[in-house]
Amino acid sequence: MAGFAGASSSQQQHLQNPNPPLPQHQQQRTKRVAFSEIPDKRTMYEDIQDPNSKGHRSCRCFTCCAWICISVTAFLIIIFVLGFVAVGILRSSLPHINVLKVHSSNISISESSRQKFLTMEISVKLEFENENDKMSLNYEKLRVEIKAENVRIGHTAIPGFFQRSGNETKIDVNTTTTNTRIDDANAEILKLRYRQKAMLVDLFMTGDVGFSFGGLKIKGLPFEVNCQKVNEAYIKSDDPPKCYTKLLSFRGL
């Protein structure tokens, strides 16, 4: 009966105190949270929404700079693409240049003090074909250099000229070298090629070309012309040697 009495007393204490105190070792592990440590939600919201706060201004500045960079980059890309397309159109509008004739004459090799000196003339006839339907071409500041068997014969200037669309223009280029020092090997090659009438000639031309299309005019774009290893003996009228043209070349003579 004493046991039942003790159990009854324990049950009564439990009913009177439904939340008994925790043991001491569990009380040490329990964290006490004070309501004062929890920030006020209203205060946090007001800080974030404050347009005059330093963080908000920094965010706006960063966004503005980002949009400026994107706009400038897009503008530069557009300009680059348009420029690339324009240059491609102008390059396709350059003339086709053919070599119609090469003639070497008056070659003379003299010797003095065991040194040899060359006197020689080279003439070249070129044909400019403007195959554009509506675009005219204007040539200025033309200068030509001619080599025979890799020996520089001379350079000269050519008067500028205007060429309408669908037009063919022929020009003569004459260069002369007088008493130019030359080594023995090149002297022998030039004399042999001259006797065979098979001189290998290189022509290099620089100048400015302008384009006219309706009311649009583009002036002074540098270009160059290369006619390489043209054999004097193998020039056919129905299939003349072709020269290579290049726009926006800044090589000079």
Side-chain angles (χ1 to χ4, degrees), residues 1-12:
M1 294 297 291
F4 287 105
S8 178
S9 175
S10 175
Q11 290 178 357
Q12 290 178 359

Side-chain angles (χ1 to χ4, degrees), residues 1 65 101 120 127 133 149 161 193 199 207 236 239 252:
M1 294 297 291
C65 292
K101 183 180 179 182
M120 185 179 182
E127 179 184 48
D133 294 332
E149 301 294 337
F161 60 94
R193 292 290 190 178
M199 196 76 67
K236 300 179 181 180
D239 186 21

Side-chain angles (χ1 to χ4, degrees), residues 5 10 35 49 63 65 76 91 119 138 141 152 156 170 236:
S10 175
F35 290 99
Q49 296 297 323
T63 304
C65 292
L76 293 177
R91 282 177 177 170
T119 297
N138 186 42
K141 303 177 183 179
R152 187 175 183 272
T156 185
K170 298 177 177 61
K236 300 179 181 180

Side-chain angles (χ1 to χ4, degrees), residues 1 16 30 47-48 77 81 95 108 122 139 149-150 164 168 171 180 186 222 241-242 246 252:
M1 294 297 291
Q16 293 176 358
T30 303
D47 291 341
I48 295 174
I77 292 174
V81 172
S108 173
I122 296 284
Y139 307 92
E149 301 294 337
N150 295 322
R164 297 186 180 278
E168 297 179 359
I171 62 173
T180 302
N186 284 326
K242 294 176 173 48
K246 181 180 179 181

